[in-house]
């Protein structure tokens, strides 16, 4: 059975950094078969994981549509096999984790067969992994449109700002309306140090979300990012890493 963990939240709150650390901690806890899905069109999870970026699903879709227009593409079952192969080739195989980047989403009004097949292929591929970690862009676009998979844990990441917390609350409500099943939903407060201002505490309470953990501001993480080193390779002394380890253990125990 696959456990799917998705991260969502306002832009710049730390989703990608936390996703990379979470993947590392899952590996450290013995998980061997992990697929990381970069669902941000800006594709940057690979940098946080220290992996190269291969072809994206968006690239495959564009190429396929172009070839279809040129008439050089097989049809029917052969087309599906061809797409299946293309997706498998697009998976970046790391030592500890495989990575698939979604790339740009389809243009408006593209409900084409290719897109449908790609979605099915990515979902089937995901089911062959024990863990799937989905790093989303600011919204929940990917979850609402681009997958048919259920999500076991939705981590809503916020910085210690009113806008971040309100966005997380909105996304939690949206999650309830998606056509996919979303299991447990938690709030993670990132880059927070010291006591939270009263109005912010109030806003958190009003979201009705369980605050799973508060991840402190970590100068070492910031330093890694500014020098382009993979966040997944933070030293064991990093407070962000240590806190995400606690988060991982709580998630694993709650399964
Ligand atoms: N706990 C933290 N301490 C210090 N800096 C952080 C922390 N978490 C994230 N950052 C920084 O915040 C910025 C946004 O992080 P990122 O993970 O890219 O967010 P998102 O994926 O939500 O857009 C990056 O520059 C990152 O280095
Ligand atoms: Mg990101």
């Amino acid at each position: 059975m696959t456990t799917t963990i998705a991260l969502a939240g306002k832009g710049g709150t730390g989703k990608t950094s936390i996703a990379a650390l979470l993947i590392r901690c899952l590996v450290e806890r013995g998980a061997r078969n992990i697929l990381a899905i970069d669902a941000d069109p800006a594709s940057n999870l690979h940098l946080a994981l220290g992996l190269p970026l291969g072809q994206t699903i968006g690239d495959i879709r564009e190429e396929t549509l172009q070839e279809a227009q040129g008439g050089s593409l097989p049809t029917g079952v052969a087309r599906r096999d061809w797409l299946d192969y293309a997706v498998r080739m697009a998976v970046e195989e790391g030592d500890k984790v495989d990575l698939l980047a979604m790339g740009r989403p389809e243009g408006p009004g593209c409900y084409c067969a290719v897109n449908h097949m790609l979605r099915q292929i990515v979902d089937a591929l995901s089911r062959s992994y024990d863990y799937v970690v989905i790093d989303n862009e600011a919204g929940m676009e990917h979850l609402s449109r681009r997958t048919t998979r259920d999500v076991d844990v939705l981590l809503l990441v916020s910085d210690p700002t009113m806008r971040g917390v309100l966005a997380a609350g909105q996304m939690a409500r949206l999650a309830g309306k998606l056509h996919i099943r979303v299991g447990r939903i938690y709030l993670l407060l990132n880059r927070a140090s010291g006591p939270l201002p009263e109005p912010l505490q109030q806003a958190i309470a009003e979201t009705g979300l369980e605050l799973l953990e508060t991840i402190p501001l970590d100068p070492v993480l910031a330093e890694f990012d500014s020098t382009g080193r993979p966040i997944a390779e933070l030293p064991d002394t990093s407070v962000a890493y240590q806190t995400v380890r606690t988060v991982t253990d709580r998630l694993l125990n709650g399964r």
Side-chain angles (χ1 to χ4, degrees):
M1 249 207 21
T2 309
T3 301
T4 302
I5 305 172
L7 295 98
K10 185 172 82 68
T13 50
K15 298 177 291 295
T16 301
S17 309
I18 295 171
L21 291 172
L22 177 68
I23 287 164
R24 165 178 167 182
C25 292
L26 285 171
V27 171
E28 287 173 350
R29 290 298 186 250
R32 281 291 164 270
N33 196 15
I34 309 176
L35 176 67
I37 295 185
D38 187 349
D40 185 343
S43 308
N44 57 29
L45 180 61
H46 67 287
L47 295 172
L49 290 170
L51 286 172
L53 176 66
Q55 252 206 334
T56 69
I57 295 295
D59 295 337
I60 296 174
R61 184 179 43 245
E62 295 308 313
E63 240 174 59
T64 309
L65 293 177
Q66 270 169 21
E67 292 197 25
Q69 273 172 2
S72 60
L73 196 74
T75 51
V77 177
R79 177 176 296 187
R80 185 167 172 125
D81 286 348
W82 190 86
L83 283 173
D84 206 62
Y85 175 75
V87 172
R88 273 166 214 283
M89 293 307 291
V91 173
E92 198 60 57
E93 292 182 359
D95 281 347
K96 302 177 176 120
V97 55
D98 291 352
L99 173 74
L100 183 64
M102 299 306 294
R104 275 162 303 143
E106 64 274 22
C110 173
Y111 297 105
C112 50
V114 166
N115 217 22
H116 183 66
M117 281 186 193
L118 280 172
R119 188 154 40 205
Q120 285 182 336
I121 291 168
V122 171
D123 286 345
L125 176 79
S126 301
R127 278 193 285 275
S128 67
Y129 287 86
D130 293 336
Y131 289 93
V132 175
V133 176
I134 308 175
D135 177 26
N136 285 286
E137 57 181 323
M140 297 215 298
E141 191 72 351
H142 174 79
L143 291 183
S144 58
R145 272 208 307 156
R146 295 164 75 191
T147 182
T148 54
R149 196 182 326 102
D150 291 343
V151 171
D152 299 288
V153 178
L154 176 61
L155 297 174
L156 293 171
V157 183
S158 176
D159 45 17
T161 68
M162 211 53 129
R163 283 194 299 128
V165 169
L166 294 177
Q170 260 170 9
M171 286 178 197
R173 284 194 294 280
L174 178 64
K177 295 182 190 138
L178 295 182
H179 60 280
I180 53 170
R181 189 187 62 81
V182 179
R184 294 176 281 154
I185 306 183
Y186 298 109
L187 179 66
L188 279 179
L189 210 56
N190 184 31
R191 254 191 271 129
S193 299
L196 299 176
E198 179 56 37
L200 197 60
Q201 290 184 29
Q202 178 89 28
I204 291 171
E206 282 168 12
T207 63
L209 287 166
E210 179 180 340
L211 179 57
L212 186 62
E213 208 65 58
T214 299
I215 303 169
L217 186 109
D218 185 346
V220 189
L221 192 158
E223 154 85 28
F224 262 56
D225 223 2
S226 55
T227 53
R229 292 164 75 188
I231 302 297
E233 292 169 15
L234 280 170
D236 290 358
T237 47
S238 141
V239 282
Y241 158 70
Q242 289 172 355
T243 314
V244 175
R245 199 172 51 191
T246 309
V247 168
T248 310
D249 288 342
R250 292 187 63 178
L251 292 180
L252 290 178
N253 291 334
R255 254 176 86 190

